[in-house]
Amino acid sequence: MRSMVYRGPYKVRVEEKDMPPIEHPNDAIVRVTSAAICGSDLHLYHGMMPDTRVGMTFGHEFVGVVEKVGSSVERLKPGDRVMVPFNIYCGSCWFCSRGLYSNCHNVNPNATAVGGIYGYSHTCGGYDGGQAEFVRVPFADVGPGLIPDWMDEEDAVLLTDALPTGYFGAQLGDITEGDTVVVFGAGPVGLFAAKSAWLMGAGRVIVIDHLEYRLEKARTFAHAETYNFVEYDDIVVHLKKATDYLGADVVIDAVGAEADGNFLQHVTSSKLKLQGGSPIALNWAIDSVRKGGTVSVVGAYGPIFSTVKFGDAMNKELTLRMNQCPVKRQWPRLFEHIRNGYLKPSEIITHRIPLEHIAEGYHIFSAKLDDCIKPIIVPTAA
């Protein structure tokens, strides 16, 4: 089969790989019909995540058709159209039984924190991802869901990570009616977080970024106020002025490990790899939220130390909430919002790229060329 393969930082290509086999009776093999490149895939592409091994296939956002199933699989059959959450989880451990699917205890022998994630380094279990013609899906009776007949496939692929993660970011903020919500980052997750904040009762939503085309999307898609942080000497001071010198009620970090805005922090994290991620957006979030407010973190960071302003968070009596999104837990409400017309996830898709051209797709997305917000990968499997 044809598959995206990692060959080192900034180096990906399409190669022939063996078809994934059924390794366990609970496995399914899915023929991928649509996948996506996620902003967090760029952290892998740039060499930010530990133990990203040469030969790995990325891709944790994908949908497809079941090709075959293991002997113990009962809920799926060949021919079913499925959407697959980025979380790999067993469904029965202490964490899964409490809906903490992203913290499953049985799928990742390499870590005590995160569970398993498709195509996201051996730190997250070493599972190949869906930027390929076929992918092995463990625990097939637990994770995948059938794509409803009424749902467009491009909406479904965004329900495997980007939309649920943005919604989860707003959910973690415990937004109450009338709250002022600030979102750092106008990528797909930030756009969905801003849109979701309105659904949860926000009275004002502000999005911060430094790319004008993404801020324009935040205005038209998420109906948010926007500020370009490069136009201000200190974006935190500006946000304080814009919120009666109190700060926002809720701030969402939808940026994560490669935030711009501070040269020293960016170099020590993104270039020298001395931190698990540039903490600029997170520190701005801590500084710009009001005392007693809530900071929600859904941007991805590496597992090593970052210079976070924890003392300020403590002294301001902040609530800090964060995790990888337990995707399937968000689906019932998101299905409802999409069917009722409140959300149309595929509106943020800007590029549709054949699998054969995935290296160019990564370059376009990474370099922020051609006003790229969300690229979809289309495999060529028959």
Side-chain angles (χ1 to χ4, degrees):
M1 69 168 185
R2 304 293 282 165
S3 178
M4 170 273 186
V5 174
Y6 176 69
R7 287 296 169 192
Y10 294 88
K11 296 177 183 177
V12 300
R13 63 191 188 204
V14 175
E15 296 182 6
E16 285 288 339
K17 293 182 78 169
D18 292 338
M19 276 283 294
I22 296 285
E23 297 181 13
H24 187 278
N26 289 334
D27 287 350
I29 304 301
V30 171
R31 175 171 56 85
V32 179
T33 54
S34 290
I37 304 176
C38 179
S40 57
D41 287 331
L42 297 182
H43 305 328
L44 299 169
Y45 178 67
H46 296 154
M48 286 290 298
M49 292 294 151
D51 209 6
T52 304
R53 301 183 188 180
V54 168
M56 184 170 211
T57 295
F58 298 167
H60 55 268
E61 296 179 287
F62 61 91
V63 299
V65 176
V66 176
E67 186 79 4
K68 56 183 174 180
V69 297
S71 59
S72 296
V73 175
E74 297 179 349
R75 296 183 180 178
L76 296 181
K77 64 183 185 303
D80 284 343
R81 295 172 64 242
V82 291
M83 48 207 289
V84 183
F86 77 84
N87 321 112
I88 301 170
Y89 60 99
C90 72
S92 58
C93 70
W94 191 93
F95 298 96
C96 288
S97 66
R98 289 157 176 80
L100 300 172
Y101 308 133
S102 53
N103 305 112
C104 177
H105 209 49
N106 290 328
V107 294
N108 186 4
N110 300 319
T112 56
V114 71
I117 299 176
Y118 292 98
Y120 213 77
S121 83
H122 279 67
T123 301
C124 298
Y127 299 88
D128 267 348
Q131 291 170 8
E133 292 182 315
F134 296 90
V135 62
R136 171 181 165 250
V137 175
F139 298 101
D141 275 337
V142 177
L146 296 177
I147 300 175
D149 292 338
W150 51 267
M151 184 179 290
D152 291 342
E153 181 170 295
E154 288 188 342
D155 291 329
V157 75
L158 293 177
L159 275 158
T160 62
D161 178 12
L163 175 55
T165 295
Y167 189 81
F168 182 60
Q171 193 178 65
L172 289 178
D174 277 337
I175 296 167
T176 59
E177 188 172 354
D179 275 354
T180 294
V181 178
V182 170
V183 179
F184 283 101
V189 170
L191 292 170
F192 286 135
K195 186 94 166 181
S196 299
W198 293 118
L199 297 173
M200 296 179 191
R204 186 180 183 190
V205 178
I206 301 169
V207 174
I208 310 297
D209 203 287
H210 68 294
L211 297 170
E212 278 300 327
Y213 75 89
R214 299 209 309 186
L215 291 171
E216 174 62 22
K217 193 67 174 180
R219 291 189 287 271
T220 57
F221 174 77
H223 310 294
E225 293 176 53
T226 61
Y227 298 110
N228 187 326
F229 66 74
V230 302
E231 297 177 359
Y232 300 91
D233 292 334
D234 189 327
I235 190 61
V236 171
V237 170
H238 179 73
L239 286 171
K240 288 289 182 68
K241 290 178 180 177
T243 54
D244 296 326
Y245 292 91
L246 295 175
D249 300 294
V250 176
V251 179
I252 302 169
D253 171 5
V255 181
E258 295 185 88
D260 288 308
N262 180 301
F263 179 76
L264 178 62
Q265 296 279 19
H266 188 73
V267 168
T268 58
S269 59
S270 298
K271 305 304 179 186
L272 301 181
K273 311 296 191 290
L274 298 178
Q275 301 186 69
S278 170
I280 299 162
L282 182 53
N283 285 334
W284 281 350
I286 289 169
D287 287 341
S288 58
V289 74
R290 65 166 169 79
K291 288 176 279 189
T294 299
V295 173
S296 163
V297 185
V298 287
Y301 289 88
I304 63 173
F305 130 100
S306 296
T307 55
V308 175
K309 291 185 170 182
F310 195 77
D312 287 358
M314 180 267 185
N315 289 322
K316 290 178 73 173
E317 197 202 355
L318 301 186
T319 298
L320 307 180
R321 302 187 69 193
M322 63 211 79
N323 199 0
Q324 297 283 355
C325 173
V327 169
K328 205 166 184 180
R329 208 172 75 196
Q330 318 304 321
W331 278 356
R333 181 58 60 86
L334 290 174
F335 282 19
E336 197 175 299
H337 287 323
I338 292 169
R339 194 160 197 181
N340 289 335
Y342 298 135
L343 285 170
K344 180 63 175 170
S346 56
E347 288 179 0
I348 72 162
I349 295 171
T350 53
H351 292 68
R352 294 161 181 86
I353 299 166
L355 177 62
E356 295 296 326
H357 299 160
I358 197 167
E360 181 68 11
Y362 267 90
H363 174 64
I364 290 169
F365 196 30
S366 172
K368 308 296 188 290
L369 303 176
D370 196 30
D371 292 354
C372 184
I373 290 176
K374 186 66 174 179
I376 295 296
I377 302 301
V378 183
T380 55

